[in-house]
Amino acid sequence: MRVLALDYGSARCGCAVSDPTGTLATPIAHVERPGTRKGMARLAALVREREIGHVVVGLPLGLSGADTAQTEEVRAFAVRLGDLLGESIPIDLYDERFTTVIAERVGGRESEDSRAAAVLLEGWLARNAALFEDDPARGPRGVGATGGAGGASGADAAGDAGAAGGAEEFEEGGA
């Protein structure tokens, strides 16, 4: 199963994909104006083209773990994306605090937004490695769980950054 991570912003949405084994997180080209009809269509096309089985959307919580105005915008975006993709593609909201700071330090050729999405994805993959345990292509249990653009430090900072720290299952009607 491939996972698509999105670092949503109204101007551009950073994107990263996992390999089928859940070992690597790779930043890919960002999507311009993801909240528009054209942007949503591009995201749906990415899901089809890359055979995505799960989507993770970065949730921009405040440093205290509280929701902000941007958090509500991202939740609304996730609802719209979920409606577009349908029930067969689960959507998780995942704490994205500090992913941009880590992406700035890592550098790379893709946009900072897409590098932040890769850091976000690494954290999500590390926390959800059990989803890939029965995958024969993955190899021995735990291989590669901390690999990718940000390494273990990316997973630690993005996934363990406070009270909310981690995935929140997204369900239609709000999370």
Side-chain angles (χ1 to χ4, degrees), residues 63-139:
L63 288 179
S64 68
D67 281 7
T68 65
Q70 190 177 6
T71 307
E72 294 308 316
E73 183 179 344
V74 168
R75 288 182 193 279
F77 165 77
V79 167
R80 289 184 56 219
L81 185 60
D83 289 346
L84 178 64
L85 297 178
E87 293 180 14
S88 64
I89 307 291
I91 297 178
D92 281 351
L93 297 172
Y94 191 79
D95 184 354
E96 71 170 24
R97 287 177 285 180
F98 305 112
T99 57
T100 301
V101 172
I102 295 166
E104 288 171 354
R105 291 179 184 160
V106 171
R109 68 174 190 247
E110 290 297 341
S111 72
E112 186 175 286
D113 297 306
S114 289
R115 292 191 322 264
V119 172
L120 168 79
L121 183 54
E122 286 178 343
W124 188 90
L125 290 170
R127 284 192 178 248
N128 292 279
L131 293 175
F132 300 91
E133 285 180 357
D134 294 332
D135 185 347
R138 185 170 174 83

Side-chain angles (χ1 to χ4, degrees), residues 34-70:
T36 65
R37 213 175 303 155
K38 185 176 179 181
M40 285 289 208
R42 181 63 196 128
L43 291 171
L46 270 176
V47 168
R48 281 190 312 276
E49 292 163 5
R50 297 198 178 243
E51 300 175 351
I52 300 298
H54 205 109
V55 175
V56 178
V57 178
L59 190 63
L61 299 168
L63 288 179
S64 68
D67 281 7
T68 65
Q70 190 177 6

